[in-house]
């Protein structure tokens, strides 16, 4: 039997807006790739090596995480256990624009532009009419 729809809506509502502040041990991380069943490889802004984190049970089969998306990771969740997991995903960034306005958003995660600005000095011809050919003479 599937989970009630009210659980799905409540979970979606929780992740739609960012919290005012992050708790101790929580950090914003970028998802590198999915490693398997509810396991993800993420990059913290302060760490050179990727962390292996587990998706919290309340998000499983309800909200999907895309590559290069952002999540909030609790790095203290598995501190007392001896395993290869480095933390747990406790929140998923869905409205990135709102999250970027928060004071705890890491400056290392700059927004990647889909169409980077050209540094060349020549003008683009996109969306312009082709040059008129006055050499026809109209005789």
């Amino acid at each position: 039997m599937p989970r009630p729809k009210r659980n799905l809506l409540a979970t979606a509502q929780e992740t739609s807006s960012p919290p005012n502040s992050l708790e101790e041990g929580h950090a914003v991380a970028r998802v590198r790739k999915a490693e398997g069943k509810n396991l993800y490889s993420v990059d913290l802004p302060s760490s050179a090596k990727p962390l292996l984190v587990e998706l919290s049970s309340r998000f499983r089969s309800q909200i999907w995480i895309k590559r290069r998306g952002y999540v909030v990771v609790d790095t203290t969740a598995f501190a007392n256990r001896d395993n290869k997991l480095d933390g747990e995903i406790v929140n998923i960034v869905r409205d990135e624009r709102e999250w970027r306005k928060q004071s705890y958003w890491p400056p290392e995660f700059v927004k990647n532009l889909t169409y980077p600005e050209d540094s060349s000095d020549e003008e683009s011809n996109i969306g312009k009419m082709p040059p008129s050919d006055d050499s026809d003479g109209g005789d």
Side-chain angles (χ1 to χ4, degrees):
M1 184 173 211
R3 293 182 182 177
K5 191 160 187 123
R6 68 180 177 272
N7 290 353
L8 173 65
L9 296 175
T11 304
Q13 183 66 27
E14 279 181 36
T15 61
S16 64
S17 61
N20 293 333
S21 64
L22 292 180
E23 295 178 20
E24 186 70 30
H26 290 195
V28 177
R30 181 184 294 138
V31 176
R32 180 178 275 197
K33 66 177 183 174
E35 294 289 348
K37 196 163 181 83
N38 302 316
L39 297 177
Y40 292 88
S41 178
V42 299
D43 292 324
L44 288 177
S46 60
S47 176
K49 71 176 190 98
L51 302 177
L52 184 65
V53 295
E54 182 182 29
L55 185 64
S56 178
S57 61
R58 67 183 175 155
F59 296 124
R60 293 178 188 167
S61 300
Q62 291 189 8
I63 294 181
W64 306 108
I65 301 175
K66 62 182 181 178
R67 249 181 306 168
R68 292 181 300 276
Y70 297 98
V71 294
V72 177
V73 176
D74 182 7
T75 55
T76 61
F78 299 121
N80 57 354
R81 293 169 50 185
D82 287 334
N83 58 10
K84 61 183 178 178
L85 295 177
D86 297 314
E88 181 181 28
I89 297 174
V90 294
N91 205 345
I92 300 168
V93 175
R94 290 182 54 216
D95 187 8
E96 188 178 325
R97 181 177 290 164
E98 288 297 317
W99 283 76
R100 285 186 180 278
K101 294 176 184 177
Q102 300 299 322
S103 61
Y104 52 79
W105 187 266
E108 291 88 351
F109 293 148
V110 296
K111 183 160 178 82
N112 294 334
L113 298 175
T114 306
Y115 300 106
E117 296 293 324
D118 270 340
S119 60
S120 62
D121 292 336
E122 62 185 56
E123 285 188 33
S124 173
N125 291 334
I126 297 174
K128 295 182 181 178
M129 295 291 293
S132 61
D133 204 13
D134 291 339
S135 63
D136 289 344
D139 290 333

